[in-house]
């Protein structure tokens, strides 16, 4: 197996290994991730009108997503603990009215990327939306969680193209 194709979180003995980033340059790094929660029109209307019995669903899910990004290294075993300088969570109603799109942006100046933090932020925000709304809509579906863009580090700028899928 060529060095380029080796998994970076496995050592030469096949054991789990935290990557050594000591010699990597400190650069500004940003990652964006996205996901959706599909739900009934009635549930979406409750959330958007702030009439949900549990209160402002977006406010709670936003805080949960930010907290999730900050706790990423506690959840994902080989992730480095990072000093995030910015986490932003945004919500948008899907154009067809079938649910909510969640976007997370994570940023720092560091030696490793923030893709996992952005993915965790979206995941935790989606789980929080689900938790707050499950009593009125247990058939909701969380889907499509993915990194959409990253900047910084040796790979520079990467952006997902619509046709990029992994079936």
């Amino acid at each position: 197996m060529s060095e380029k194709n080796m998994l970076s979180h496995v050592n030469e003995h096949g054991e789990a290994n935290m990557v050594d980033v000591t010699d990597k340059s400190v650069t500004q790094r940003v990652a964006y991730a996205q996901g959706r929660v599909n739900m009934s029109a009635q549930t979406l209307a409750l959330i958007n009108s702030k009439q949900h019995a549990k209160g402002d669903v977006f406010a709670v899910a936003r805080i949960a997503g930010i907290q999730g990004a900050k706790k990423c290294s506690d959840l994902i075993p080989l992730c480095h603990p990072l000093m995030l300088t910015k986490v932003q969570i945004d919500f948008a109603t899907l154009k067809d009215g079938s649910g909510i799109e969640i976007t997370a942006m994570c940023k720092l100046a560091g030696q490793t990327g923030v893709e996992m933090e952005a993915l965790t932020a979206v995941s935790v925000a989606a789980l929080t939306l689900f938790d707050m709304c499950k009593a009125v809509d247990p058939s909701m579906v969380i889907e499509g969680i993915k990194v959409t863009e990253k900047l910084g580090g040796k790979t520079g700028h990467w952006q997902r193209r619509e046709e990029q899928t992994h079936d």
Side-chain angles (χ1 to χ4, degrees):
M1 183 183 319
S2 74
E3 190 172 315
K4 183 175 173 72
N5 292 330
M6 290 182 65
L7 297 174
S8 62
H9 287 76
V10 178
N11 68 15
E12 63 275 3
H13 305 292
E15 302 162 336
N17 180 51
M18 187 177 202
V19 175
D20 184 356
V21 297
T22 306
D23 295 329
K24 290 176 96 178
S25 298
V26 173
T27 62
Q28 181 171 302
R29 295 160 186 264
V30 181
Y32 295 87
Q34 207 170 61
R36 346 177 248 290
V37 181
N38 295 330
M39 61 187 64
S40 71
Q42 294 82 9
T43 304
L44 188 57
L46 280 173
I47 294 169
N48 283 331
S49 67
K50 299 187 190 297
Q51 299 299 310
H52 195 286
K54 291 190 177 183
D56 187 342
V57 174
F58 289 142
V60 176
R62 181 173 285 112
I63 295 295
I66 292 167
Q67 198 66 19
K70 292 166 53 178
K71 293 291 192 177
C72 183
S73 67
D74 292 336
L75 300 169
I76 310 296
L78 300 177
C79 275
H80 294 86
L82 301 179
M83 287 294 295
L84 296 170
T85 57
K86 176 75 175 166
V87 178
Q88 182 173 324
I89 310 290
D90 295 306
F91 303 99
T93 299
L94 295 171
K95 290 178 185 172
D96 65 2
S98 64
I100 296 167
E101 182 176 80
I102 304 163
T103 303
M105 183 275 292
C106 293
K107 184 178 185 181
L108 61 64
Q111 295 167 292
T112 188
V114 290
E115 297 91 347
M116 293 309 300
E117 288 70 16
L119 287 165
T120 302
V122 167
S123 299
V124 172
L127 289 167
T128 302
L129 283 172
F130 190 99
D131 181 51
M132 292 187 75
C133 298
K134 68 184 183 290
V136 295
D137 191 358
S139 67
M140 290 177 292
V141 175
I142 297 170
E143 64 182 15
I145 298 173
K146 61 188 173 264
V147 174
T148 57
E149 186 174 6
K150 67 179 234 55
L151 299 101
K154 70 178 180 183
T155 58
H157 185 203
W158 175 86
Q159 194 165 18
R160 179 174 299 279
R161 297 183 317 266
E162 277 305 309
E163 65 272 7
Q164 285 178 313
T165 60
H166 296 91
D167 294 343

